[in-house]
Amino acid sequence: MRIGARFIAFGVVLAVMAAEVLAASDVRSVRLWRAPDNTRLVFDLSGPVQHSVFTLSAPDRIVIDVSGAKLATQFDQLALSNTPITGVRSAQRAPEDLRVVIDLSAPVTPKSFTLAPNQQYGHRLVVDLFDQDPGAPAIAPAAPVATAPQAPAAAPQTPPKLTPVAGGKRDIVVAVDAGHGGEDPGALSPVKGQFEKHVTLAIAKELQRQINAEKGFRAELVRTGDYFIPLRKRTEIARKKGADLFVSIHADAAPRSAAFGASVYALSDRGATSETARWLADAENQSDLIGGAGNVSLDDKDRMLAGVLLDLSMTASLSSSLNVGQKVLSHMGRITPLHKRRVEQAGFMVLKSPDIPSILVETGFISNPNEARKLASASHQQALSRSIVTGVKQFFQQNPPPGSYLAWLRDNGKLALGPREHVVSSGESLALIAQRYQVALSALRSANALRSDLIQVGQTLQIPTTALAVQP
Ligand SMILES: [Zn+2]
């Protein structure tokens, strides 16, 4: 009986598969994204397909065979400049067997996968072409720039920031991460043609410009254009750039279009351990949201946020993150309404020893028509960036990293030290905090008008500066 039933079920599956193969999918459009080290082609399909990809050399080509597909678009609108692609051709080998040939000026390593429909897109076939020789002349921009180290231009808008200044006066490095990008548009705006990914990149670039204008600071963009970077690669890039702080820029969305206001997220080591474990297991299976595992929907925004935060948790220094987050939030609150007045904490455990303090800034609700318009305006982007920079600067003035220009200023009595603050994280006691800042427990108590040594997670403590001044 059981064998019979299984056989029948198997027969039904075959019939369904045959039906799917018979109804060929249309390739409705093709989109192209260029990243610093790869080119992504996305074929938009009317239904699922089977495919295979192989390379040919002399001349270099990539062949993509798509079975169960017909071409219902043209390739001539693709912007191929600055990519190793010199042309895209196609042939219908059988009524439902499409072959696409990509002509190349340099060899590439292809990687391909399919994606199931999400809110914005239907079925897709993604082909990533990784450069084998980054910086090869074939893929340099038309004008031959930036292959050799650049001499400083006469009067550059943003002064070129050079890496470590000798004598322990290095720049503090802020990694600025523009959320989403490329195939991942982020949240949708009611303003036509506006996506979260565009807003985040515009704000990130403005933030970089303002940070670079501050002596002793340098900003590094994690994403420099409209392309996708997997979550883990983002923190990896920040680490490689020697970041002292990681700031991820996003814009919020909610089903209720009236929702408004900015928020700042940091990590928490409170919260459900089992939830963390479940998320971790999921994340392991997923490998990345849309980086290649496929069949992962971007619909669940909370999941996206959770993913970013979970990845940050690999490196985050919790207390510093809360501290810098609170400062950024309070300055943002002067120029834009806040969604929540405190730094929000996601309930994930800090999984590794503290490394780079990290915050995630939701600059406003892009789903709110009024805020969407504001977020798109240059003046509001500048004001938002200014408030973030002010918070970041304040944090580093109070906590200058060793070897930095700010630390040098402080050690030479040239930095007006404001009151230092500490945001309590889980597991910390008043005695522990006093010890860390080398202040007397009684001084810490009186500076905060505490009647007992009971402190709460998230509470901001003033750290008296007296003891430090004695140190040479
Ligand atoms: Zn986002």
Side-chain angles (χ1 to χ4, degrees), residues 179-180 186-187 196 200 249-251 301 304 362:
H180 311 278
E196 183 187 351
T200 60
I249 303 291
H250 287 255
K301 192 192 149 286
M304 183 73 190
E362 295 278 9

mmCIF file of all heavy atoms in Angstrom, residues 179-180 186-187 196 200 249-251 301 304 362, ligand 1:
data_model
loop_
_atom_site.group_PDB
_atom_site.id
_atom_site.type_symbol
_atom_site.label_atom_id
_atom_site.label_comp_id
_atom_site.label_asym_id
_atom_site.label_seq_id
_atom_site.Cartn_x
_atom_site.Cartn_y
_atom_site.Cartn_z
ATOM 1 N N GLY A 179 22.794 50.862 3.596
ATOM 2 C CA GLY A 179 22.026 49.619 3.582
ATOM 3 C C GLY A 179 21.549 49.242 2.186
ATOM 4 O O GLY A 179 21.345 50.099 1.340
ATOM 5 N N HIS A 180 21.420 47.927 1.983
ATOM 6 C CA HIS A 180 20.843 47.374 0.743
ATOM 7 C C HIS A 180 21.720 47.715 -0.478
ATOM 8 O O HIS A 180 22.886 47.999 -0.340
ATOM 9 C CB HIS A 180 19.402 47.840 0.577
ATOM 10 C CG HIS A 180 18.604 47.642 1.836
ATOM 11 N ND1 HIS A 180 18.054 46.441 2.176
ATOM 12 C CD2 HIS A 180 18.340 48.492 2.867
ATOM 13 C CE1 HIS A 180 17.449 46.566 3.357
ATOM 14 N NE2 HIS A 180 17.618 47.784 3.798
ATOM 15 N N GLY A 186 15.723 47.360 -0.760
ATOM 16 C CA GLY A 186 15.298 47.819 0.560
ATOM 17 C C GLY A 186 13.836 48.195 0.529
ATOM 18 O O GLY A 186 13.074 47.729 -0.321
ATOM 19 N N ALA A 187 13.451 49.089 1.427
ATOM 20 C CA ALA A 187 12.035 49.448 1.543
ATOM 21 C C ALA A 187 11.602 50.347 0.401
ATOM 22 O O ALA A 187 12.386 51.116 -0.145
ATOM 23 C CB ALA A 187 11.794 50.136 2.876
ATOM 24 N N GLU A 196 14.806 52.619 -0.768
ATOM 25 C CA GLU A 196 15.662 52.817 0.399
ATOM 26 C C GLU A 196 17.136 52.817 0.009
ATOM 27 O O GLU A 196 17.924 53.602 0.514
ATOM 28 C CB GLU A 196 15.373 51.717 1.433
ATOM 29 C CG GLU A 196 16.172 51.881 2.714
ATOM 30 C CD GLU A 196 16.018 50.706 3.669
ATOM 31 O OE1 GLU A 196 15.165 49.840 3.414
ATOM 32 O OE2 GLU A 196 16.768 50.672 4.662
ATOM 33 N N THR A 200 19.830 55.589 1.278
ATOM 34 C CA THR A 200 20.920 55.229 2.195
ATOM 35 C C THR A 200 22.280 55.583 1.596
ATOM 36 O O THR A 200 23.162 56.053 2.300
ATOM 37 C CB THR A 200 20.889 53.730 2.558
ATOM 38 O OG1 THR A 200 21.021 52.949 1.366
ATOM 39 C CG2 THR A 200 19.606 53.356 3.274
ATOM 40 N N ILE A 249 23.452 52.680 7.677
ATOM 41 C CA ILE A 249 22.382 53.647 7.412
ATOM 42 C C ILE A 249 21.210 52.950 6.715
ATOM 43 O O ILE A 249 21.388 52.276 5.700
ATOM 44 C CB ILE A 249 22.897 54.796 6.508
ATOM 45 C CG1 ILE A 249 24.098 55.490 7.139
ATOM 46 C CG2 ILE A 249 21.779 55.790 6.198
ATOM 47 C CD1 ILE A 249 23.781 56.290 8.386
ATOM 48 N N HIS A 250 20.027 53.116 7.293
ATOM 49 C CA HIS A 250 18.812 52.537 6.719
ATOM 50 C C HIS A 250 17.667 53.545 6.764
ATOM 51 O O HIS A 250 17.785 54.611 7.363
ATOM 52 C CB HIS A 250 18.409 51.270 7.498
ATOM 53 C CG HIS A 250 19.305 50.118 7.224
ATOM 54 N ND1 HIS A 250 18.944 49.064 6.426
ATOM 55 C CD2 HIS A 250 20.580 49.877 7.616
ATOM 56 C CE1 HIS A 250 19.945 48.212 6.345
ATOM 57 N NE2 HIS A 250 20.951 48.684 7.064
ATOM 58 N N ALA A 251 16.563 53.205 6.110
ATOM 59 C CA ALA A 251 15.323 53.967 6.254
ATOM 60 C C ALA A 251 14.229 52.954 6.540
ATOM 61 O O ALA A 251 14.173 51.890 5.928
ATOM 62 C CB ALA A 251 15.030 54.766 4.997
ATOM 63 N N LYS A 301 10.816 42.379 6.797
ATOM 64 C CA LYS A 301 11.775 43.421 7.098
ATOM 65 C C LYS A 301 12.471 43.179 8.435
ATOM 66 O O LYS A 301 13.656 43.434 8.585
ATOM 67 C CB LYS A 301 11.069 44.766 7.122
ATOM 68 C CG LYS A 301 12.029 45.911 7.144
ATOM 69 C CD LYS A 301 11.345 47.206 7.461
ATOM 70 C CE LYS A 301 12.296 48.107 8.191
ATOM 71 N NZ LYS A 301 12.506 47.691 9.571
ATOM 72 N N MET A 304 15.360 41.086 8.021
ATOM 73 C CA MET A 304 16.493 41.794 7.412
ATOM 74 C C MET A 304 17.255 42.530 8.491
ATOM 75 O O MET A 304 18.469 42.421 8.606
ATOM 76 C CB MET A 304 15.934 42.772 6.381
ATOM 77 C CG MET A 304 16.992 43.510 5.619
ATOM 78 S SD MET A 304 17.790 42.407 4.454
ATOM 79 C CE MET A 304 19.148 43.459 3.955
ATOM 80 N N GLU A 362 18.181 54.092 11.647
ATOM 81 C CA GLU A 362 17.002 54.200 10.775
ATOM 82 C C GLU A 362 16.718 55.691 10.685
ATOM 83 O O GLU A 362 16.275 56.300 11.656
ATOM 84 C CB GLU A 362 15.806 53.445 11.362
ATOM 85 C CG GLU A 362 15.977 51.931 11.461
ATOM 86 C CD GLU A 362 15.700 51.200 10.146
ATOM 87 O OE1 GLU A 362 15.544 51.862 9.089
ATOM 88 O OE2 GLU A 362 15.659 49.946 10.182
HETATM 89 ZN ZN ZN B 1 17.021 48.800 5.511
#
